[in-house]
Amino acid sequence: MTFHCKVLIVLLLVVKTALGQPANFDRTEIVFVSDTQAPLWFEHLYLKSNHNRLATKEIFGDILLRNPAAVYLLGDVVAIGTSDRQWKPMDIYLQNLRNNGTQINACLGNHDVLRTPAKGEKKFQQRFPDHLKTGSLNITDSVAVILLNSNFKSLSPQEDSAQTRWYRNTLSNLDSDNAVKCIITGCHHSPFTNSRLVKSSMGVRQRFLSSFLGSKKSGVFLSGHSHNFEHFKQYGKDFFVIGGGGGLHQPLKHGRGIIPDVSAAYKPMFHYLAVQRCGSQLLLTSIMLQPDFSGFKTGAAFIINNTSTNH
């Protein structure tokens, strides 16, 4: 890491610690948030609620204050994708960000295609017109963000294989593009999680991991579905679960057989991720809503250098 990058990262961390969130003057920051869906009635039977709708509202309000260049939603944007009622508050949050000049992108989660996938996809597409169900690419400040569709059951065999092939080819092209410094991949279902309610996605591993691991500029894989913050170091690369956008918090496994979690001591209930680039490094900052809902603060920060992580 260059001396300039070290100084910049230290200054950013100081500001984050002092203010809770930085004033984003150059608008190069990218934000990721996942699982912003409101709880469904039956989920309250086995999971504890905690003002979840308010938490989602507060998260989008804080993101608006950060004024990022782009926001990426990693699925389960709403509880039932076919419901206009469920979309009503989300439409306001998204429009506020767009009015502020923030680019909005999203990938599908299982709740977004719940009950009637085709109808859910149609309503999703209305909110995110640039969405492509077999993978999309956007670039901000030399950071390429690839969003993938991990709802494999709603894809035809042709779409499924086309997405896997497109992802492999896109990574190869980006690795050869000198204008791209870093690559972030995101999808809804987590390839690794210790959640007691949802499993690690073997489908994501089988389709995407080989290409991700073989990409020299890819150091970060983001996902949700597990309503937790989890950080796994696998095959020399970093996998983050950031499902803290407002869904009911899920219990985690403990004891033998769990996947080693780098952030085992950091388990905020509600949170989102802010990303900034410095050279070929990425500064990832987990922004957490304080337990008493009094505001947000920097919960944890990570420096990612393509294929290596320093803390």
Side-chain angles (χ1 to χ4, degrees), residues 3-305:
F3 176 77
H4 171 74
C5 284
K6 287 182 178 179
V7 172
L8 178 57
I9 287 172
V10 169
L11 288 174
L12 284 170
L13 289 172
V14 169
V15 172
K16 289 173 187 291
T17 301
L19 301 181
Q21 69 239 357
N24 192 3
F25 298 110
D26 57 3
R27 300 211 72 186
T28 58
E29 189 172 68
I30 308 169
V31 163
F32 295 86
V33 62
S34 188
D35 297 272
T36 54
Q37 79 271 27
L40 295 172
W41 70 267
F42 60 85
E43 293 179 305
H44 292 280
L45 299 177
Y46 53 90
L47 291 174
K48 186 178 180 180
S49 62
N50 183 23
H51 307 289
N52 296 75
R53 287 180 172 85
L54 175 60
T56 298
K57 180 180 179 180
E58 293 293 320
I59 284 173
F60 277 102
D62 198 62
I63 293 172
L64 187 65
L65 290 175
R66 294 186 77 89
N67 196 26
V71 171
Y72 293 88
L73 291 89
L74 301 184
D76 282 4
V77 181
V78 294
I80 304 174
T82 57
S83 170
D84 289 328
R85 183 175 64 86
Q86 295 285 345
W87 276 107
K88 189 173 181 179
M90 188 58 59
D91 286 339
I92 296 173
Y93 306 149
L94 297 176
Q95 191 57 52
N96 287 340
L97 287 167
R98 290 185 170 116
N99 290 344
N100 221 29
T102 298
Q103 181 185 8
I104 310 292
N105 298 281
C107 61
L108 288 160
N110 53 293
H111 278 267
D112 302 314
V113 294
L114 197 64
R115 297 179 180 173
T116 313
K119 186 177 178 182
E121 286 182 14
K122 182 178 180 180
K123 290 188 178 293
F124 191 90
Q125 200 70 34
Q126 291 171 351
R127 274 78 182 181
F128 310 104
D130 295 329
H131 167 259
L132 298 172
K133 68 181 296 185
T134 54
S136 61
L137 167 66
N138 290 276
I139 298 175
T140 302
D141 187 36
S142 299
V143 179
V145 178
I146 296 174
L147 296 184
L148 299 168
N149 186 355
S150 54
N151 289 296
F152 304 120
K153 291 182 179 180
S154 67
L155 294 173
S156 69
Q158 294 78 15
E159 289 171 334
D160 195 357
S161 61
Q163 176 175 235
T164 303
R165 184 170 57 253
W166 174 85
Y167 181 52
R168 181 178 62 248
N169 293 338
T170 299
L171 286 178
S172 178
N173 292 335
L174 292 172
D175 278 338
S176 301
D177 187 346
N178 292 331
V180 173
K181 304 301 181 185
C182 309
I183 305 170
I184 297 173
T185 296
C187 69
H188 180 64
H189 297 83
S190 300
F192 305 103
T193 178
N194 287 320
S195 170
R196 297 172 73 178
L197 293 188
V198 298
K199 297 179 180 180
S200 301
S201 174
M202 188 57 65
V204 170
R205 293 191 200 183
Q206 291 172 341
R207 290 164 175 83
F208 305 143
L209 242 59
S210 177
S211 297
F212 171 73
L213 296 174
S215 167
K216 63 183 180 181
K217 294 180 183 177
S218 293
V220 181
F221 196 109
L222 303 178
S223 59
H225 197 47
S226 167
H227 297 178
N228 289 285
F229 184 93
E230 300 176 90
H231 177 197
F232 305 106
K233 190 81 169 181
Q234 296 287 322
Y235 310 103
K237 297 199 177 187
D238 290 88
F239 296 80
F240 289 89
V241 179
I242 58 166
L248 296 177
H249 197 60
Q250 296 176 358
L252 292 169
K253 300 174 185 175
H254 297 284
R256 297 179 60 182
I258 67 168
I259 307 168
D261 186 344
V262 178
S263 297
Y266 176 63
K267 296 299 167 201
M269 182 165 290
F270 303 114
H271 50 91
Y272 65 92
L273 193 70
V275 179
Q276 284 189 303
R277 181 184 66 85
C278 181
S280 60
Q281 285 82 35
L282 292 174
L283 173 63
L284 277 61
T285 308
S286 176
I287 311 299
M288 62 172 285
L289 178 60
Q290 301 204 64
D292 62 359
F293 282 66
S294 61
F296 289 81
K297 69 175 184 178
T298 297
F302 312 85
I303 298 172
I304 310 294
N305 180 15

